[in-house]
Amino acid sequence: MAGPRDVAGLRLCPAELRFVDAVPGGRYRALLSVQNLQPGSRRLQLLPPRRAQFKLIVENPDKPVPSGLQVTATVEYHPDSEEDLQDRLLLLVEKDVIEIPLIGLIPCCCLEIEPEINFGTVIANSKVISKEISITNHGSSPGAFKINYNGSVPVNIVPASGMVEPKTLQLVKVDICTDIPRVIREMAKVQLQGCGVTNLRIEAHVVEQVLELLGVSHENTLECIHFGSVYFGTSNTEQVVLYNKSPETINWVAVLEDDAIGGEMGTHLQKSTDAVLQELSFINRTKELDVSSLISCIPNQGTLLPYQKTVVTLCFSPKQFKRDIGLTEFPPRQDYALFLRFEAVGSKDGFLQALNGDNIPIKETHPHHVELALTGSGLPVMLTFSPGPVVNFMDCFMGEHTEIMCTLKNESESLPVTYSFHKIAHFNICPEKGKVKEKCTKDVMFSFAPRQAGTFKVKQVVEIFGSVAEEDNLQSLKIKPFHQIHLSFTGVCKPKTKKIMFKINPGITPMITNATGQLVADEIGRFIDFAPVAMLQSAQTQMHTHQINRDCKSDALIAFPNDRSASIRPSERHKKYRTIFTKADRYHYVDPDFAYTDYEELEKQAHKEYYADFIQSLRQRRLQKEATRKYNSLNNPVNIGLKPASGLRSPKITITDLHKEKLKVETTPLNEDCLLSSRKLAAIESKSLTKEVYDGLNAVPSSPQEKEDCNITLTPKQRYQILIGPSTIDFGEVCVHSSSTRKMHIINNLPVHIWIQVEIESEALQQTSPLSHVLPPLSKTCIPVVFQTNTLGKFQKSFTYTINNKHTGHVLVVAKAVSVALELSARELILNPTPGFLAETSFRATVRLCNRRNYLAEFNWKPIVTDKGIAFSIRPAKGIVEAYKDLECEVVWHPGFCSPETGEFNLCVHQGNTLKLKCLAKLGPTSIQFMEHRIPFNHAPLGLTTCKTAILQNTGQNHAYFQVLDSNPLPGMTITPSEGVVPVGGHADLKIYFTPNAVMKFDTRVEVAVRHGKVLEFRIGGSVEAPEISISVESFNFHGVYAGSTQGIPFLLQNKGVAHARVEFDLSKYKDFTLNFKDQSAFDYYPPRPYLYSVELEGKSTLQCSLYFTPKEVAAYDFSLPVNVNFSEVPSSQQSSTATTPSGSEKHIIVPRPQMVSMTAPLCTVQATVLQPPLEFSTSELVFQSRSIHLDIADESLSTQKFDLKNTSRQQVTWQLDLDGAGKAIEDGIFKFSLCAGVLDPGQKTSITVGFCPSYPGTYGAEVPVFLNDKPSQCKLLTLSGTVKSPKINFDPPFLILMPVPLDMKTETYVNIVPKDYSRPSALQVEIPELELEDGDRINPLSVQFPSGQVIAVSPEGTNVGLACHISFRSSRPVSFLRNIFFIDDEKNRFSLQVAATAENCLLTVYPYLAFHCTDQQIILRSVFLIPMEV
């Protein structure tokens, strides 16, 4: 409801009445109050609304309403439909009218969305970050929303559409990928139901992770630190500020690039080129120098908070090469130019890309790093002494001194020298300390003041002081001596002459005396720690010992009487001295000025132990070298008869041994305080790469060592040595419903185990496994990341991984889900003629279908057919292209005169794209001509088809395609083919068929169009003539012909005209009549119509013919001989069609004028009478069959048959066999008769025997005429036929090829022998060929066996039973042959079977044998070593 409103001195509460969420059928009420705010009374009246859905309930006052009082009314709303309604109440105030709105609203949604989502400033680390916004529905019904984003920035909104229930909110997740630095200000269109379209602002500032190096004082960017010149053994430090100029915490490490291009390590850059080239070996040795010992970085790893700075101290400590130590000359200077890289801990994509062996590009995202160049020079101390280094002083007496002035010169040009001389006895130096500037000198006085006589040769140590970094604190430098120079001082002190008085020694002779026992020798120089004393162990003597001193300790020493000074001042304070006799304690005194303190005693003892250990280590090393030398001398291939492991027993394994783990760490781990260098890292990485572990990895730590290692919190330096990546896995284009795999490499360069766990939430990556690995030290493995999705579009998701369950990282997965697609190698294909190909296949080309995606593509070609048609074809028309494969499709243009030269195909990929291929055929110029330009049709027969040929010859370099413009130039004339091709160098025949139906003369032109050539022309001329056929006999009379006999009448068939004629005799209705022609070549026999006789007659020719009558029963005939000349009735199929081009007079040289002429056939009558035959044959056909034949008894009859002759007439009949005209079989004596002629009385019967005597197997036949009463016209034919079958043997298979085998190996097979036409059993014999080798030896590698016997049996039904033959082959000599094996039966019939076999040890030859027997035989390949011959 709206709030109150003041108008015209009245207060309306509310200002409008709003009924929300009103549904049809409901009843809703609202109160309205009108208060008088004027000081006087006023008359008020409310009028009802117009709509029936609104009802006013009010009692309008009859009197004016006083000031401050109000009128209350109730408005009811009862909607009857789902629609919003509006009305108003009228308030009458005196003369004023006030409207109060009434609004009725149905239930609706009221959606509200946050207008902006701001990710703030984030790092470009290839991570997908997300934020959520809410869409709130304040209404009473569900509301739909849809978010549409079409920008270029990879923004993913989930869900992009949906419904929001009333009084609830929907969270929408917005993802962006921080792959590159940029400023994101994007707009997404949001459609809210009932609110129209609004914008959603997406803002983010993606910045690069930046590390900067600043100066300490001025905070300017540093690129190089110059340490300057530093003495060997000293150090110089510089400080820089490392600044994390990014909004996120960064872990960093410092890496020294000691293999960078342009670096210098210990090279003397001031030398000439020649001098440097002479020291190439030295330069190569400097490459192996551990530069990390020269450059120190404190700290060399750490963590920087956002925008935090830290101070890094760099220390340069050059050292002298070992080869230069001990040289008399000054060692050369060493110049260094190095690069120190401060790098964020992350993935090394450049290194991991080299491990990617499947040629798939990896999107590189280098972690940011900053390089700092370091330059410095190491100089030797170049201090010279003049005189020096040997200084000889003049001789002097005791109490005197000599002096020498020495000049100290600093040869260095850049550094001063601070020196200090050690104090030594008898020599004094003034001044003892000092400083010599560069290229300056200083005088120092050396003096020799001896305090005793003798020759003094001492070493004077000169210490050089400089700034030296402490080992435990490299950040602070202290002035310490770092170098020593040794001078040799020599001085002689001569003693003054003094007379020595000899005295008698009253006491015990001391241990050290002269020859007289009185003078003490001056050999005290041999004793170092104590004065010369005589000592005995007091425990070794007991004489004169007092009773009270009997229990003295055994370590007490006894002092001699004359060593009072030594016993009073012992060398060691813990030693005790007693008297020699009574063993009483002697008084002793320890002088603190000369005695060792307790600390000095301990230090002295430590020095003794150190040197003892050193000597012991030298001895152990010498013994080890000796043992190694001895082992190498004995480790040779000489067999001394010892059996390996002889007498040894296998150790017993207990259960506790199974849980023990042996750690084999081959590489010493890098010191945490040591600076990382690129060479050391490369060496460790190469060792880790050689140990690839894919199987047997634990998913969780199991052993105690693994649990201990995987519980370590790794430092940034340790994390830097763990390579996991690439940081961005780009799958590229991946087809939906398919899976693609990429490798995520994990390389552990640490000497401890690490535990890698991968957490994947995206459904498209759920098939990735395994997700947990415990990786051993110094090893490498990979996790196959599998991507599969069913949704088209771009995919950008990141998954996280943890190291040791403490340190996290992420990997970005980028992919584009696409449908299957194919690519064409060319969108337009030009087909040129291929020389040497046939005309039908000369135009061909190939187009390649490329499937560059990871899923197979099913395709089919669909031609685009136009009005002109299409003359192209593609094979294969459909198929499948495998993933990442190509397929060649051949396009062929089918040439013709009317074939279109262009065509298009649509390449349709199932559930994929569609491409269009345009094909174009290019024809070259052609040159053809007619071999004859005039085709004559002289005397063309009327009604017959005459064929002529016009030859087109191709004289060009391309196939020619032609078309006959008018294929029917004359009525009844057809030229075929109407179009065709003339191949290169060949010719084409045009067949001209002319079937005229009228007599005429003609001469016309015919035009032939040539594609890409000129129109050719040839002439056709001639005349049409009607035939003139006559028969010499006008009437054929056959009177009194006996049934079964044959009678013939000869006649002449004559063509009197000049044109060719065809005459047909149709005797299909008179089958007892037959025609015979002397020239059978003129007769055309048509088997489907055996009673149709057709003969060809040339002009002015005659043919001798005979009409034979062979009746089968008694009858009478009288008919006209059916003769047809030149198809008097022309079939409709051969009638000339209407010409395609109008027969104008312009193409006719002689205009044809057809004259219709009727062709009449000669009229001949045939009359015949059939009589009952006087002689009856029992059979008119004899058939002889025989299975075999014996050639040696060919004259004897093998088979005989009889037939009977019977006279059925009332008169005597004479019969005779006409053997002279019966054929070759009668002449050769194949068929023999017992009677050849005879006479039969009425009713008499005779039998004739016919013998069948063939000499060779085969089929024989003959027809023997039988003449009656010596009349050749009255004859009957006797048909004879005979067959002799010879035994045969067939083989299955008919040709035997044995598998090639190695030497001395056997191959075998079975052959089926199928006998045929054997009338009795027969045994088979085998003749096996013998092989002759190249050296003359003869071998028999084949063998034949019959497992079921070798006799051919005959079944009771008369059929032959087959045999099985086993043939085997084995040869110890290389051989290859093709020979015949002969099988010989009892009748000496020989049947051959060809056999091919090979035996040798060539792998290429016997490969089928090796492949077939790879599982059941062991095959050993032996190498043959060839001994080279000396020439």
Side-chain angles (χ1 to χ4, degrees):
M1 290 294 182
R5 178 168 66 106
D6 296 338
V7 56
L10 299 176
R11 176 168 292 172
L12 304 178
C13 185
E16 64 179 20
L17 297 179
R18 184 183 295 268
F19 299 91
V20 297
D21 301 335
V23 297
R27 189 175 294 273
Y28 306 93
R29 288 189 174 189
L31 296 177
L32 173 66
S33 63
V34 181
Q35 184 180 6
N36 184 12
L37 300 179
Q38 294 291 336
S41 299
R42 307 184 73 178
R43 184 175 297 278
L44 305 176
Q45 184 180 359
L46 288 170
L47 299 180
R50 295 188 301 269
R51 293 182 177 272
Q53 289 85 352
F54 295 96
K55 181 180 180 181
L56 176 64
I57 303 174
V58 66
E59 293 182 2
N60 290 319
D62 298 335
K63 299 180 180 181
V65 178
S67 175
L69 297 183
Q70 63 182 12
V71 176
T72 304
T74 302
V75 179
E76 287 187 355
Y77 176 57
H78 45 89
D80 54 3
S81 62
E82 290 186 356
E83 61 177 343
D84 295 336
L85 299 178
Q86 291 186 359
D87 207 340
R88 86 281 187 276
L89 294 177
L90 296 180
L91 175 61
L92 302 180
V93 183
E94 300 297 340
K95 297 181 180 181
D96 299 331
V97 178
I98 301 174
E99 290 187 359
I100 302 174
L102 301 177
I103 302 174
L105 301 176
I106 62 176
C108 63
C109 61
C110 181
L111 299 179
E112 181 183 2
I113 187 172
E114 299 177 19
E116 179 183 358
I117 179 170
N118 195 341
F119 289 88
T121 304
V122 293
I123 293 297
N125 56 359
S126 298
K127 186 177 182 181
V128 177
I129 59 176
S130 306
K131 271 198 173 184
E132 292 181 344
I133 59 172
S134 60
I135 301 177
T136 307
N137 187 359
H138 300 286
S140 57
S141 65
F145 70 93
K146 184 177 181 181
I147 304 176
N148 187 18
Y149 173 73
N150 296 322
S152 59
V153 178
V155 176
N156 187 27
I157 301 175
V158 179
S161 61
M163 299 290 295
V164 184
E165 297 297 327
K167 307 301 180 183
T168 60
L169 58 87
Q170 172 70 45
L171 295 179
V172 177
K173 186 178 180 182
V174 181
D175 299 338
I176 64 171
C177 181
T178 59
D179 50 353
I180 58 175
R182 56 185 155 191
V183 177
I184 300 177
R185 290 190 179 93
E186 298 292 324
M187 288 289 184
K189 299 293 183 180
V190 182
Q191 296 181 358
L192 300 177
Q193 182 178 346
C195 299
V197 178
T198 184
N199 292 329
L200 172 63
R201 295 191 304 274
I202 304 173
E203 296 183 357
H205 187 196
V206 184
V207 298
E208 191 174 0
Q209 198 171 38
V210 179
L211 279 175
E212 289 187 356
L213 287 173
L214 306 176
V216 177
S217 58
H218 305 287
E219 293 190 356
N220 56 336
T221 303
L222 292 180
E223 295 182 355
C224 182
I225 293 293
H226 299 282
F227 288 102
S229 298
V230 183
Y231 281 125
F232 294 135
T234 61
S235 302
N236 189 10
T237 59
E238 295 287 344
Q239 289 185 338
V240 296
V241 176
L242 187 61
Y243 176 40
N244 178 16
K245 194 178 180 180
S246 56
E248 290 188 6
T249 303
I250 183 174
N251 297 314
W252 63 274
V253 293
V255 180
L256 186 61
E257 296 184 354
D258 51 358
D259 57 353
I261 299 176
E264 296 291 342
M265 292 182 292
T267 307
H268 194 343
L269 298 179
Q270 296 182 357
K271 285 186 176 182
S272 63
T273 305
D274 295 337
V276 173
L277 292 176
Q278 292 178 359
E279 296 183 358
L280 287 178
S281 60
F282 165 71
I283 295 176
N284 295 330
R285 287 197 300 269
T286 58
K287 293 181 180 180
E288 302 176 358
L289 177 65
D290 186 7
V291 189
S292 61
S293 62
L294 307 181
I295 302 295
S296 301
C297 179
I298 301 99
N300 53 28
Q301 62 178 339
T303 302
L304 287 177
L305 299 177
Y307 304 105
Q308 185 185 5
K309 298 179 181 178
T310 185
V311 178
V312 177
T313 302
L314 303 176
C315 181
F316 176 54
S317 303
K319 297 180 181 179
Q320 187 176 349
F321 293 138
K322 292 183 179 180
R323 68 157 197 163
D324 297 334
I325 298 176
L327 296 179
T328 57
E329 299 179 355
F330 296 120
R333 65 180 291 163
Q334 301 175 13
D335 295 322
Y336 294 90
L338 303 172
F339 297 94
L340 184 62
R341 185 176 71 249
F342 294 89
E343 186 174 344
V345 176
S347 172
K348 297 174 68 176
D349 286 341
F351 173 74
L352 293 173
Q353 186 175 10
L355 300 179
N356 199 16
D358 44 7
N359 295 327
I360 299 175
I362 296 177
K363 185 178 179 181
E364 296 188 11
T365 54
H366 298 284
H368 182 75
H369 65 270
V370 60
E371 286 187 352
L372 180 64
L374 306 177
T375 62
S377 300
L379 302 179
V381 177
M382 304 174 67
L383 184 64
T384 60
F385 297 85
S386 179
V390 177
V391 180
N392 295 320
F393 291 88
M394 296 179 62
D395 298 345
C396 64
F397 293 98
M398 188 177 297
E400 299 177 354
H401 70 278
T402 60
E403 295 179 348
I404 295 178
M405 181 63 69
C406 181
T407 302
L408 278 63
K409 183 178 180 180
N410 184 8
E411 302 286 348
S412 176
E413 298 179 355
S414 55
L415 293 176
V417 176
T418 302
Y419 64 90
S420 175
F421 288 90
H422 280 197
K423 291 182 178 181
I424 56 176
H426 310 293
F427 294 92
N428 296 323
I429 300 173
C430 182
E432 294 182 352
K433 298 178 180 180
K435 184 176 183 180
V436 183
K437 296 182 179 181
E438 51 273 18
K439 283 297 180 178
C440 294
T441 59
K442 190 172 185 179
D443 295 334
V444 177
M445 182 64 70
F446 295 162
S447 61
F448 173 52
R451 296 176 180 83
Q452 65 185 38
T455 301
F456 300 93
K457 294 182 179 180
V458 297
K459 288 185 178 180
Q460 173 65 54
V461 178
V462 183
E463 290 185 340
I464 309 300
F465 285 81
S467 300
V468 180
E470 297 183 357
E471 294 183 359
D472 53 349
N473 186 11
L474 297 178
Q475 295 181 348
S476 62
L477 301 180
K478 289 188 177 181
I479 304 299
K480 292 182 177 180
F482 66 91
H483 183 68
Q484 290 182 348
I485 300 177
H486 297 278
L487 300 178
S488 179
F489 288 176
T490 302
V492 178
C493 178
K494 297 180 179 180
K496 294 181 180 180
T497 304
K498 185 178 180 180
K499 186 178 180 180
I500 299 176
M501 298 299 295
F502 291 95
K503 293 182 179 180
I504 299 174
N505 186 3
I508 300 174
T509 302
M511 183 179 62
I512 302 172
T513 61
N514 57 7
T516 60
Q518 296 180 358
L519 297 179
V520 178
D522 187 11
E523 297 180 358
I524 61 173
R526 295 185 303 168
F527 300 95
I528 300 174
D529 294 331
F530 48 85
V533 295
M535 295 177 290
L536 292 175
Q537 290 289 340
S538 60
Q540 295 178 0
T541 178
Q542 294 292 332
M543 60 180 179
H544 307 295
T545 303
H546 284 253
Q547 188 67 28
I548 60 176
N549 296 324
R550 291 289 183 179
D551 56 349
C552 65
K553 294 182 180 181
S554 61
D555 59 347
L557 299 176
I558 298 174
F560 289 106
N562 59 347
D563 59 355
R564 188 77 177 178
S565 61
S567 60
I568 294 177
R569 184 177 57 81
S571 60
E572 298 179 8
R573 65 178 64 188
H574 61 275
K575 292 184 179 180
K576 296 181 180 180
Y577 291 87
R578 297 178 180 272
T579 60
I580 191 174
F581 297 110
T582 61
K583 305 295 179 62
D585 290 338
R586 290 283 301 269
Y587 172 76
H588 65 277
Y589 169 71
V590 177
D591 190 351
D593 294 335
F594 297 97
Y596 290 113
T597 63
D598 293 340
Y599 178 75
E600 290 174 343
E601 289 282 352
L602 295 175
E603 193 177 41
K604 180 181 177 183
Q605 184 63 27
H607 288 171
K608 289 183 178 180
E609 294 177 357
Y610 175 79
Y611 282 106
D613 294 341
F614 176 70
I615 295 173
Q616 183 66 20
S617 66
L618 293 178
R619 180 176 181 275
Q620 291 294 335
R621 189 181 304 173
R622 178 177 55 80
L623 293 178
Q624 185 177 1
K625 288 183 178 179
E626 184 178 355
T628 303
R629 192 183 306 111
K630 185 177 180 181
Y631 171 77
N632 293 334
S633 63
L634 298 177
N635 185 22
N636 51 47
V638 178
N639 186 6
I640 58 176
L642 294 179
K643 294 183 179 180
S646 177
L648 299 180
R649 295 182 179 180
S650 301
K652 296 182 179 180
I653 302 177
T654 61
I655 298 179
T656 57
D657 295 333
L658 298 177
H659 300 283
K660 294 181 181 180
E661 182 181 5
K662 296 182 180 180
L663 296 178
K664 298 180 180 180
V665 182
E666 300 178 357
T667 305
T668 305
L670 292 176
N671 189 4
E672 283 296 317
D673 297 331
C674 182
L675 186 64
L676 293 178
S677 65
S678 55
R679 283 186 183 176
K680 291 181 181 179
L681 292 176
I684 297 176
E685 287 171 355
S686 62
K687 191 167 295 185
S688 302
L689 292 178
T690 57
K691 185 180 178 182
E692 296 186 5
V693 182
Y694 296 105
D695 299 327
L697 296 178
N698 296 329
V700 295
S702 57
S703 66
Q705 186 63 43
E706 290 180 353
K707 293 180 181 179
E708 180 182 354
D709 293 346
C710 296
N711 197 30
I712 298 175
T713 301
L714 302 178
T715 63
K717 188 184 297 186
Q718 291 175 325
R719 291 174 58 188
Y720 181 79
Q721 299 178 60
I722 300 175
L723 307 181
I724 300 178
S727 61
T728 300
I729 300 178
D730 191 355
F731 283 88
E733 293 184 347
V734 180
C735 297
V736 292
H737 310 295
S738 68
S739 61
S740 182
T741 305
R742 297 289 187 273
K743 292 181 180 180
M744 185 180 77
H745 299 278
I746 304 175
I747 303 175
N748 181 17
N749 294 325
L750 298 178
V752 295
H753 294 80
I754 59 172
W755 184 17
I756 305 297
Q757 294 174 284
V758 180
E759 299 177 2
I760 295 179
E761 298 180 356
S762 175
E763 294 183 359
L765 304 174
Q766 289 300 319
Q767 295 187 13
T768 302
S769 66
L771 299 179
S772 181
H773 276 312
V774 176
L775 196 58
L778 301 176
S779 60
K780 168 187 175 292
T781 189
C782 65
I783 294 179
V785 181
V786 182
F787 174 77
Q788 182 177 6
T789 184
N790 299 330
T791 306
L792 292 172
K794 293 183 178 180
F795 178 86
Q796 281 187 333
K797 294 290 183 180
S798 58
F799 62 86
T800 60
Y801 61 85
T802 60
I803 305 175
N804 290 352
N805 212 10
K806 297 178 181 180
H807 312 285
T808 61
H810 67 275
V811 173
L812 176 64
V813 178
V814 179
K816 184 179 181 181
V818 296
S819 58
V820 292
L822 291 178
E823 297 180 6
L824 289 174
S825 60
R827 301 298 292 271
E828 182 174 339
L829 194 62
I830 299 176
L831 283 72
N832 294 310
T834 304
F837 276 60
L838 298 178
E840 294 78 7
T841 59
S842 62
F843 288 87
R844 57 180 62 233
T846 59
V847 61
R848 184 181 299 108
L849 306 184
C850 303
N851 185 3
R852 305 187 187 281
R853 297 183 178 174
N854 67 316
Y855 196 64
L856 58 89
E858 184 178 355
F859 71 93
N860 64 328
W861 291 98
K862 293 184 179 179
I864 302 176
V865 182
T866 60
D867 296 337
K868 296 182 179 180
I870 187 169
F872 293 87
S873 64
I874 297 183
R875 291 292 181 271
K878 60 181 179 180
I880 295 176
V881 183
E882 298 293 336
Y884 304 112
K885 299 292 184 180
D886 298 340
L887 179 64
E888 294 282 348
C889 292
E890 186 181 41
V891 182
V892 178
W893 182 60
H894 303 280
F897 185 83
C898 299
S899 300
E901 298 180 4
T902 60
E904 292 181 345
F905 292 87
N906 281 333
L907 175 63
C908 301
V909 182
H910 181 62
Q911 296 182 352
N913 62 334
T914 299
L915 299 176
K916 182 178 289 186
L917 174 65
K918 184 176 181 181
C919 303
L920 178 64
K922 282 196 174 182
L923 297 173
T926 59
S927 176
I928 62 174
Q929 62 183 5
F930 281 99
M931 296 183 67
E932 295 181 2
H933 292 275
R934 180 179 176 84
I935 306 299
F937 278 84
N938 297 325
H939 309 298
L942 178 66
L944 289 182
T945 301
T946 304
C947 180
K948 296 287 185 176
T949 302
I951 301 175
L952 279 171
Q953 186 175 11
N954 191 345
T955 59
Q957 300 297 325
N958 296 304
H959 301 300
Y961 305 93
F962 66 90
Q963 182 185 34
V964 181
L965 297 182
D966 186 3
S967 60
N968 301 104
L970 291 174
M973 181 177 288
T974 303
I975 301 177
T976 59
S978 60
E979 61 181 43
V981 59
V982 184
V984 177
H987 63 273
D989 295 340
L990 293 179
K991 297 295 184 180
I992 306 172
Y993 297 95
F994 186 33
T995 308
N997 56 1
V999 177
M1000 60 181 171
K1001 292 183 178 182
F1002 57 91
D1003 191 354
T1004 186
R1005 296 185 184 93
V1006 177
E1007 293 182 345
V1008 177
V1010 181
R1011 193 166 190 170
H1012 286 244
K1014 63 182 181 179
V1015 178
L1016 303 179
E1017 183 182 282
F1018 72 98
R1019 293 172 58 185
I1020 301 176
S1023 60
V1024 179
E1025 302 290 341
E1028 297 181 15
I1029 301 299
S1030 63
I1031 299 177
S1032 62
V1033 179
E1034 295 181 357
S1035 178
F1036 295 91
N1037 296 317
F1038 297 93
H1039 298 293
V1041 179
Y1042 295 110
S1045 63
T1046 302
Q1047 183 179 352
I1049 299 176
F1051 65 93
L1052 293 178
L1053 185 63
Q1054 185 177 5
N1055 183 7
K1056 298 180 180 180
V1058 294
H1060 179 79
R1062 182 181 182 89
V1063 183
E1064 286 186 354
F1065 300 89
D1066 188 3
L1067 300 178
S1068 58
K1069 296 180 181 179
Y1070 314 101
K1071 298 181 180 180
D1072 290 341
F1073 294 87
T1074 59
L1075 285 173
N1076 189 16
F1077 305 95
K1078 185 176 182 180
D1079 186 5
Q1080 292 293 330
S1081 61
F1083 168 65
D1084 292 338
Y1085 177 71
Y1086 187 54
R1089 300 180 66 182
Y1091 299 100
L1092 181 63
Y1093 301 88
S1094 178
V1095 293
E1096 301 283 344
L1097 291 177
E1098 298 295 333
K1100 303 295 183 179
S1101 63
T1102 302
L1103 179 64
Q1104 295 182 5
C1105 308
S1106 298
L1107 179 63
Y1108 288 93
F1109 179 47
T1110 307
K1112 297 180 176 59
E1113 58 186 9
V1114 178
Y1117 295 93
D1118 188 3
F1119 61 92
S1120 296
L1121 186 65
V1123 181
N1124 189 358
V1125 179
N1126 287 5
F1127 305 104
S1128 300
E1129 297 179 0
V1130 180
S1132 59
S1133 61
Q1134 295 183 1
Q1135 291 179 0
S1136 61
S1137 59
T1138 304
T1140 57
T1141 58
S1143 298
S1145 60
E1146 66 276 1
K1147 72 171 186 176
H1148 296 297
I1149 301 175
I1150 298 178
V1151 179
R1153 290 180 173 83
Q1155 298 178 3
M1156 304 301 296
V1157 177
S1158 61
M1159 292 182 294
T1160 58
L1163 181 61
C1164 298
T1165 60
V1166 178
Q1167 294 178 352
T1169 304
V1170 183
L1171 301 177
Q1172 183 69 28
L1175 192 64
E1176 181 180 306
F1177 287 77
S1178 63
T1179 180
S1180 63
E1181 183 178 1
L1182 297 179
V1183 178
F1184 299 88
Q1185 287 188 356
S1186 178
R1187 283 188 175 271
S1188 60
I1189 185 170
H1190 297 279
L1191 300 180
D1192 54 349
I1193 54 174
D1195 294 337
E1196 183 180 351
S1197 176
L1198 297 176
S1199 178
T1200 58
Q1201 292 189 26
K1202 294 182 179 181
F1203 69 96
D1204 299 332
L1205 296 179
K1206 183 179 179 182
N1207 186 358
T1208 59
S1209 66
R1210 298 177 180 178
Q1211 298 177 0
Q1212 188 180 33
V1213 177
T1214 302
W1215 61 272
Q1216 182 182 0
L1217 299 179
D1218 186 10
L1219 300 181
D1220 296 334
K1224 190 174 185 300
I1226 301 299
E1227 295 177 358
D1228 296 340
I1230 304 299
F1231 297 98
K1232 297 182 179 181
F1233 298 89
S1234 60
L1235 294 176
C1236 294
V1239 178
L1240 292 177
D1241 295 331
Q1244 186 180 357
K1245 179 180 179 182
T1246 183
S1247 295
I1248 302 174
T1249 302
V1250 181
F1252 179 53
C1253 304
S1255 301
Y1256 301 98
T1259 300
Y1260 304 91
E1263 289 184 352
V1264 181
V1266 181
F1267 296 150
L1268 301 179
N1269 298 326
D1270 298 328
K1271 296 181 180 180
S1273 61
Q1274 297 180 0
C1275 68
K1276 188 172 183 178
L1277 295 178
L1278 177 63
T1279 304
L1280 304 176
S1281 63
T1283 303
V1284 177
K1285 297 181 180 180
S1286 176
K1288 293 177 60 178
I1289 289 181
N1290 296 326
F1291 299 96
D1292 183 21
F1295 180 82
L1296 185 59
I1297 302 177
L1298 298 176
M1299 180 186 297
V1301 293
L1303 299 180
D1304 281 335
M1305 298 304 296
K1306 184 178 181 181
T1307 181
E1308 54 191 0
T1309 188
Y1310 282 90
V1311 176
N1312 293 325
I1313 299 177
V1314 183
K1316 189 176 181 181
D1317 297 333
Y1318 276 89
S1319 59
R1320 62 176 180 268
S1322 178
L1324 293 180
Q1325 303 295 327
V1326 182
E1327 183 179 305
I1328 302 176
E1330 188 178 27
L1331 303 180
E1332 183 177 357
L1333 302 180
E1334 295 180 355
D1335 56 358
D1337 295 343
R1338 306 183 71 87
I1339 59 174
N1340 294 306
L1342 292 173
S1343 63
V1344 179
Q1345 295 179 354
F1346 295 91
S1348 58
Q1350 59 191 73
V1351 177
I1352 299 176
V1354 180
S1355 64
E1357 293 80 8
T1359 60
N1360 299 136
V1361 181
L1363 300 177
C1365 176
H1366 178 268
I1367 300 177
S1368 62
F1369 168 73
R1370 181 199 297 265
S1371 175
S1372 60
R1373 303 280 297 276
V1375 65
S1376 179
F1377 63 89
L1378 174 63
R1379 293 296 179 89
N1380 290 329
I1381 298 179
F1382 291 96
F1383 294 84
I1384 306 171
D1385 59 9
D1386 290 343
E1387 298 178 1
K1388 305 303 178 180
N1389 295 320
R1390 299 169 65 87
F1391 307 97
S1392 63
L1393 172 64
Q1394 278 193 329
V1395 179
T1398 301
E1400 64 174 356
N1401 283 346
C1402 177
L1403 287 179
L1404 298 178
T1405 305
V1406 301
Y1407 176 77
Y1409 179 86
L1410 300 179
F1412 185 77
H1413 296 278
C1414 62
T1415 58
D1416 56 351
Q1417 293 187 8
Q1418 183 180 5
I1419 301 169
I1420 300 176
L1421 302 180
R1422 295 179 179 176
S1423 299
V1424 178
F1425 296 96
L1426 299 179
I1427 302 176
M1429 300 180 62
E1430 296 183 358
V1431 181

